[in-house]
Amino acid sequence: MGLFYYLVQRSISGDYIHLDAGKFGPYAAVLVFSAGSFISNLLFNSYLMSHPFKGAKVRYADYFSKGTLKYHLIGVLGGLINSTGTTSNFIASKTASPAVAYGLGQGGTMIAAIWGVFVWREFKGASKVTVAMITAMFVFFLTGLILLVTAML
């Protein structure tokens, strides 16, 4: 995870009008990144479905037979939101600097955490240690975000 953004940025041309030889434009980078995500998802999902950490094995047919249209549409919406954010991040990274773009791009992860903690109440009844760690996560993320923004000034 720590290397992927560095490698993506090394593959994107510094000039979007006149591309550097052997480098992608931001949209081509998104296409290749998406293809890589799709292929690795098939590999990892296939393994983890047949070797689950907990519970019974799952088949690909279960995805269609046990999933509802509502859940499939929620997944599609999540994918659209993620791909829009990733595309925007790749495009903006040359203007905002890769470090700032990556830091701001992690805002999606924080939004997911906020929804999980405050909307879906996933940690309701959690121990005080867990609540303290979640609080620390929010504080450290906001501190990092503030440091990134002030570093640009």
Side-chain angles (χ1 to χ4, degrees), residues 60-135:
Y60 277 105
D62 295 338
Y63 175 81
F64 297 103
S65 65
K66 295 182 180 178
T68 65
L69 179 62
K70 175 184 173 184
Y71 289 135
H72 289 299
L73 291 176
I74 289 170
V76 169
L77 177 63
L80 289 171
I81 293 169
N82 186 297
S83 64
T84 301
T86 300
T87 304
S88 300
N89 189 297
F90 287 4
I91 293 168
S93 65
K94 294 299 178 185
T95 302
S97 90
V100 171
Y102 181 72
L104 294 175
Q106 293 306 304
T109 306
M110 190 52 51
I111 297 298
I114 289 168
W115 273 75
V117 171
F118 298 110
V119 177
W120 293 315
R121 315 273 304 155
E122 292 176 342
F123 293 97
K124 184 178 180 180
S127 70
K128 290 183 181 191
V129 172
T130 302
V131 171
M133 288 192 306
I134 292 170
T135 302

Side-chain angles (χ1 to χ4, degrees), residues 15-94:
D15 183 359
Y16 293 162
I17 305 300
H18 307 288
L19 298 178
D20 300 335
K23 298 213 174 184
F24 294 116
Y27 297 107
V30 168
L31 181 68
V32 172
F33 178 77
S34 299
S37 295
F38 179 75
I39 291 167
S40 66
N41 194 340
L42 286 177
L43 294 173
F44 286 112
N45 276 358
S46 297
Y47 178 79
L48 291 173
M49 288 168 66
S50 63
H51 300 86
F53 295 115
K54 183 177 179 182
K57 292 182 179 181
V58 181
R59 300 174 305 130
Y60 277 105
D62 295 338
Y63 175 81
F64 297 103
S65 65
K66 295 182 180 178
T68 65
L69 179 62
K70 175 184 173 184
Y71 289 135
H72 289 299
L73 291 176
I74 289 170
V76 169
L77 177 63
L80 289 171
I81 293 169
N82 186 297
S83 64
T84 301
T86 300
T87 304
S88 300
N89 189 297
F90 287 4
I91 293 168
S93 65
K94 294 299 178 185

